[in-house]
Amino acid sequence: MEIKEQVSLTQFNSFGLSVNAPLFVEVTTSLALQEVLKDPRFENALILGGGSNVLLLQDLSRPVIKISIPGIRISEENEQTAIVSAGAGVVWHDLVMWCIVNNLGGIENLSLIPGLVGAAPIQNIGAYGVELSDVFYNAIGIGRKTGDSKIFEAEDCNFGYRDSIFKNELKDEYVITTLRLSLTKVNHQLHLDYGGITQTLDAMGVITPTLDDVARAVIRIRRAKLPDPSTLGNAGSFFTNPVVLKTKAAQMASLYPDMPSYSIDDQFTKIPAGWLIEQTGFKGKTFGNVGMHNKQALVLVNYGNATGAELWEHAQRVMDAVMSKFDIELAPEVNLIN
Ligand code: FAD
Ligand code: EPU
């Protein structure tokens, strides 16, 4: 295990920001992680997966522990279900593809989400009508202060929309080392109702979709809308979609009859932040090196040599505009790192 000094994180964050870390170590086993956590120099280290949901605001004053624990296997199974166990350092999309090749159903709608397996439970990743919590079996975490390992069952995690206990009460307390998912071996329950999947399958000429077909449809939709971080720095949706009281949503719907919205329960409605941002005129408009993407207004983009501060300044500009036009507060989905 090599501890490096003054390491550039440009390759390790999907905004492509040129930021340094004073100390950097990559761990490939839980044991190595436990060793590093004992080292006082790494006490308040940033835990980094694929860096696709962080905005590094400036050169870091704290070290980085990069999680690269590999491995995918079936750890238990019966005739209907398999429990798939994956190391926190596995690329999420590789896990999705592995499951499809092995005819295991449940995460095909989560194809092409960037990042690594260990970060998936942190914000309960979701897309196209499926969330990690739908297939979560359990996860192993190592306590940053104690070095002890703990199993988190689904009911321990308080999963919600882009939310979990790891972003709240247990923020920065545990490092996830293993994730286990409960997937179907037979009678796969396909989720086709959301976000143009059915239309895309039709356009692909698919009549009886397989897991692979659904994954290919999701990939096709995502590629058409979302910029690829390897060519255009971004971190996906920069904000979460705001959840507002139904009275507020009704008020807005009377002013903007075309406004898309999703009912959550009898009290709350979710309004797409991308729509709100588009209405404020920021979609596709650039401000120096930054802007909201021209195909998806929710995606903050680094068009060149932006700094973290510039990106955050623009995010705040957009938040202010949405607040003054709609009296709705946008909250960053991306983790701001000082
Ligand atoms: P990182 O950015 O490295 O880390 C994110 C946070 O998790 C940080 O706070 C970090 O400290 C913490 N963390 C990372 N690994 C661990 C660990 N092992 N233990 C404890 N804490 C950890 N997200 C969605 O939900 N749905 C989408 O559809 C989606 N689409 C995206 C599209 C694009 C183009 C991009 C760039 C991003 C998208 N995202 C989406 C966001 C991102 O892919 C997810 O949040 C992903 O889970 C981040 O993984 P990561 O490994 O890159 O995490
Ligand atoms: N919209 C606009 N203008 C835009 C963008 C969107 O009017 O510029 C409208 C669309 O027309 C649509 C609605 O907003 O009616 C929703 O748009 P979309 O289906 O693109 O999804 P989203 O709500 O913007 C969410 C997630 C994505 C996820 C997709 C698909 C959040 C914050 N984002 O985006 O997740 O991939 O749904 O399920 O919930 C991420 O978290 O990083 C991410 C990309």
Side-chain angles (χ1 to χ4, degrees), residues 14 46-54 67 88 113-116 118-120 122-123 125-127 162 174-176 222 226-227 229 234-236 333 335:
S14 65
L46 169 67
I47 306 299
L48 199 57
S52 64
N53 208 26
V54 288
I67 306 299
I113 296 182
L116 308 184
I122 308 299
Q123 72 156 7
I125 57 169
R162 296 294 189 275
Y174 283 87
V175 182
I176 303 298
R222 293 183 66 98
L226 291 166
N234 77 90
E333 181 202 276
N335 299 279

Side-chain angles (χ1 to χ4, degrees), residues 52-53 109-111 113-114 123-131 161-162 194-196 218 221-222 225-226 234-242 258-262 270-279 283-284 292-299 331 333-334:
S52 64
N53 208 26
N109 292 48
L110 304 181
S111 294
I113 296 182
Q123 72 156 7
N124 182 25
I125 57 169
Y128 298 95
V130 173
E131 289 185 324
Y161 163 60
R162 296 294 189 275
Y194 190 97
V218 168
I221 300 169
R222 293 183 66 98
K225 278 194 199 173
L226 291 166
N234 77 90
S237 301
F238 192 82
F239 303 103
T240 52
N241 288 325
D258 296 334
M259 177 185 80
S261 66
Y262 312 98
K270 200 189 268 177
I271 299 182
W275 182 86
L276 295 169
I277 296 168
E278 184 166 352
Q279 298 303 307
K283 184 172 182 171
M292 306 312 288
H293 194 246
N294 63 355
K295 291 196 190 127
Q296 228 303 359
L298 190 45
V299 177
E333 181 202 276
V334 171

Side-chain angles (χ1 to χ4, degrees), residues 25-248:
V25 70
E26 186 165 8
V27 295
T28 54
T29 64
S30 301
L31 227 61
L33 173 64
Q34 281 166 316
E35 278 307 305
V36 171
L37 290 173
K38 276 190 220 150
D39 183 333
R41 290 175 298 170
F42 284 89
E43 201 182 345
N44 64 350
L46 169 67
I47 306 299
L48 199 57
S52 64
N53 208 26
V54 288
L55 174 55
L56 306 173
L57 292 166
Q58 63 213 10
D59 278 336
L60 299 190
S61 54
R62 53 183 172 145
V64 166
I65 304 176
K66 167 99 176 86
I67 306 299
S68 298
I69 301 170
I72 309 177
R73 67 190 175 92
I74 292 177
S75 54
E76 283 169 54
E77 64 185 312
N78 58 32
E79 278 177 11
Q80 280 79 39
T81 310
I83 306 299
V84 172
S85 178
V90 171
V91 172
W92 172 263
H93 183 66
D94 291 351
L95 174 63
V96 175
M97 291 296 113
W98 187 93
C99 292
I100 288 169
V101 166
N102 287 283
N103 191 33
L104 299 173
I107 55 174
E108 54 285 349
N109 292 48
L110 304 181
S111 294
L112 217 61
I113 296 182
L116 308 184
V117 161
I122 308 299
Q123 72 156 7
N124 182 25
I125 57 169
Y128 298 95
V130 173
E131 289 185 324
L132 179 79
S133 52
D134 298 329
V135 292
F136 181 91
Y137 184 68
N138 64 27
I140 303 178
I142 308 262
R144 294 186 60 164
K145 293 190 191 104
T146 61
D148 294 343
S149 87
K150 177 174 160 59
I151 296 182
F152 291 92
E153 308 295 345
E155 59 271 24
D156 301 326
C157 297
N158 295 349
F159 286 126
Y161 163 60
R162 296 294 189 275
D163 203 20
S164 79
I165 196 163
F166 306 110
K167 284 179 77 173
N168 297 289
E169 293 93 317
L170 295 185
K171 188 171 164 54
D172 296 330
E173 295 286 329
Y174 283 87
V175 182
I176 303 298
T177 55
T178 305
L179 177 65
R180 296 199 189 104
L181 306 178
S182 176
L183 303 175
T184 50
K185 287 169 69 173
V186 289
N187 301 328
H188 304 306
Q189 303 294 309
L190 300 183
H191 300 269
L192 308 177
D193 303 338
Y194 190 97
I197 296 182
T198 309
Q199 295 89 315
T200 307
L201 287 167
D202 285 347
M204 287 160 57
V206 174
I207 293 160
T208 316
T210 60
L211 298 177
D212 184 53
D213 293 327
V214 176
R216 286 190 302 120
V218 168
I219 289 170
R220 197 193 261 218
I221 300 169
R222 293 183 66 98
R223 285 206 172 122
K225 278 194 199 173
L226 291 166
D228 178 353
S230 67
T231 52
L232 206 52
N234 77 90
S237 301
F238 192 82
F239 303 103
T240 52
N241 288 325
V243 172
V244 302
L245 281 169
K246 281 218 149 33
T247 45
K248 169 77 180 173

